[in-house]
Amino acid sequence: MADSAPPPTPSPGLPVYVVGGGPAGLSVAYALRARGIRAVVLEKSDAVGASWRRHYDRLHLHTTRRLSALPGLPMPRRFGRWVARDDVVRYLEKYAEVHELEIVTGVEVDRVERTPDGTAWLLHATGGRELTGAAVVVATGYNHTPYVPDWPGLDGYTGDFTHACDYRAPAPYAGRDVLVVGVGNTGAEIAVDLVEGGASRVRLAVRTAPHIVRRSTAGWAAQYTGVLVRRLPAAVVDRLARPMARLSVPDLSAQGLPRPDTGLYTRAKQGAIPVQDVGLIDAVRKGRIEVVAAVEGFEAGKVVLADGTRISPEAVVAATGYVRALEGLVGGLDVLDARGGPVAHGSRTPKDTPGLHFTGFTTPISGTLREVAMDAEKIAKAVVKQGGNALSRLPG
């Protein structure tokens, strides 16, 4: 039998490198490939969807299956309306397989800079690799590096302390007194998980009361409203949201969660997206989750709260968020804002850095997966328009 013919090779030119194999990076790789452009995904872990694999067991998407699919592949109906973490991982694996994406795992990009002649991009990666691309798409993720505040006395705390990134399930906390720090979606859901999993006492430390919305009301997903209002002025959305909140969410002021003074969309644009209720409201109303003041530090084995109270939980779960950790990667290019996020996003590129794109670094109320899917198409169009003959094109 004759040997099979070797696969056709791409045309001369430089590929587009996509840094990060999560939903945002895979979406861009597909959108480029669909336009005949060679895109290479560089993923530091050993598989796509690494951050999703690390999330806690009970996690489901807070956005609907239909509006969370990436371009070119619907999510299967069997996943249900609110897709579970493991199904998201399966979907990402299938997405890469179906679209025959070129993915290199186990490679971490340390630094991105212009080539000496200024015509392309040079990526410095593990193993001393130096890769040259016509364009670079940074998709390393909003939840990249766990953040723990510099609390005084933390080193002397003798209880169990963990960041939410390492929390998986409530079983290790059954029968124990647990403090969850932070009332974003992660902290709220972990607190509910602990209550349902048998923790003897669950307290939730809150610095700023969040906006709480029902994930779905009479079949109408909160995401649908987010899609409808996302382009309206923040002040208008804030005014519309107030009466809706009063109708759908009870006043929890007596339990320590007053209605916020600032508007919902104003807060969202600052990065504080609303908490979608998956059991928090009932648990707080019934006293199963006790809301306490923010954590100020640790002292003599106790947790010191902002109101001066000292408590002695057996375990602390810090749902204190993440940082983008882009400084080492692109910090020398003057493309980051004061908070460490990219100054330009999607199809737009930062000033003086043509061909450098960022995606997946925002948390829109219309749904992150929906937005990265839309951004992918826009980025691909921009790369093709700007790259011209410098791009490596796929055969056929």
Side-chain angles (χ1 to χ4, degrees):
M1 180 181 294
D3 292 337
S4 59
T9 57
S11 66
L14 297 174
V16 177
Y17 283 106
V18 180
V19 186
L26 297 181
S27 296
V28 172
Y30 161 75
L32 287 165
R33 185 177 178 85
R35 289 165 173 78
I37 303 302
R38 184 187 177 205
V40 181
V41 178
L42 303 175
E43 168 55 47
K44 69 177 182 179
S45 72
D46 60 359
V48 299
S51 64
W52 277 94
R53 297 172 191 273
R54 295 193 301 267
H55 287 314
Y56 47 93
D57 294 348
R58 72 170 280 155
L59 178 65
H60 286 67
L61 287 178
H62 291 164
T63 53
T64 65
R65 179 193 73 251
R66 186 172 64 84
L67 294 185
S68 299
L70 304 181
L73 186 69
M75 286 188 172
R77 290 178 61 87
R78 68 177 183 276
F79 285 178
R81 192 182 196 196
W82 312 107
V83 182
R85 178 203 65 186
D86 289 350
D87 285 332
V88 172
V89 173
R90 293 186 186 98
Y91 172 74
L92 296 178
E93 292 172 339
K94 189 68 174 179
Y95 191 85
E97 177 187 343
V98 167
H99 294 311
E100 299 180 325
L101 302 182
E102 186 175 350
I103 301 171
V104 182
T105 59
V107 174
E108 181 174 9
V109 179
D110 303 312
R111 190 171 78 258
V112 175
E113 61 186 3
R114 296 292 279 173
T115 54
D117 62 5
T119 62
W121 289 95
L122 182 63
L123 294 81
H124 300 268
T126 50
R129 295 178 177 87
E130 291 189 348
L131 309 170
T132 305
V136 176
V137 182
V138 179
T140 49
Y142 192 85
N143 295 338
H144 185 275
T145 301
Y147 169 73
V148 176
D150 187 19
W151 285 312
L154 177 57
D155 291 345
Y157 179 62
T158 56
D160 290 340
F161 181 92
T162 186
H163 188 274
C165 69
D166 294 318
Y167 175 91
R168 293 293 176 272
Y173 301 91
R176 304 176 72 191
D177 180 345
V178 187
L179 172 69
V180 179
V181 185
V183 70
N185 277 292
T186 297
E189 190 157 3
I190 287 176
V192 171
D193 199 33
L194 288 165
V195 165
E196 295 177 354
S200 63
R201 185 178 189 181
V202 178
R203 284 174 282 198
L204 182 60
V206 177
R207 184 172 298 279
T208 303
H211 285 276
I212 303 174
V213 299
R214 301 285 188 180
R215 185 169 66 176
S216 179
T217 303
W220 180 265
Q223 182 188 14
Y224 297 164
T225 302
V227 171
L228 291 175
V229 305
R230 61 184 290 270
R231 296 195 182 279
L232 294 177
V236 173
V237 180
D238 290 346
R239 287 196 295 271
L240 294 172
R242 290 188 189 103
M244 293 300 298
R246 294 190 187 97
L247 287 172
S248 61
V249 178
D251 185 2
L252 300 174
S253 299
Q255 289 79 26
L257 284 179
R259 298 189 190 279
D261 296 328
T262 52
L264 182 149
Y265 202 16
T266 296
R267 289 273 295 277
K269 283 182 171 292
Q270 295 169 351
I273 60 173
V275 171
Q276 295 211 13
D277 177 49
V278 291
L280 177 68
I281 292 173
D282 285 345
V284 169
R285 290 180 69 184
K286 295 174 181 177
R288 301 179 71 192
I289 293 176
E290 305 169 48
V291 178
V292 299
V295 172
E296 290 294 309
F298 294 74
E299 185 178 291
K302 296 184 177 182
V303 181
V304 182
L305 304 181
D307 60 4
T309 305
R310 285 166 168 73
I311 60 176
S312 302
E314 298 171 78
V316 174
V317 179
T320 45
Y322 298 79
V323 294
R324 312 296 84 79
L326 292 170
E327 290 79 6
L329 187 65
V330 295
L333 298 173
D334 193 26
V335 296
L336 303 179
D337 60 25
R339 300 174 62 185
V343 296
H345 196 268
S347 60
R348 296 184 300 113
T349 59
K351 183 181 178 181
D352 300 327
T353 55
L356 178 63
H357 295 268
F358 295 85
T359 182
F361 293 96
T362 62
T363 53
I365 61 173
S366 50
T368 298
L369 292 180
R370 177 180 182 273
E371 294 299 319
V372 299
M374 296 169 62
D375 275 347
E377 299 291 341
K378 296 174 184 177
I379 291 171
K381 289 179 182 178
V383 168
V384 172
K385 181 179 180 180
Q386 188 174 51
N389 293 330
L391 295 166
S392 175
R393 298 182 179 272
L394 297 170

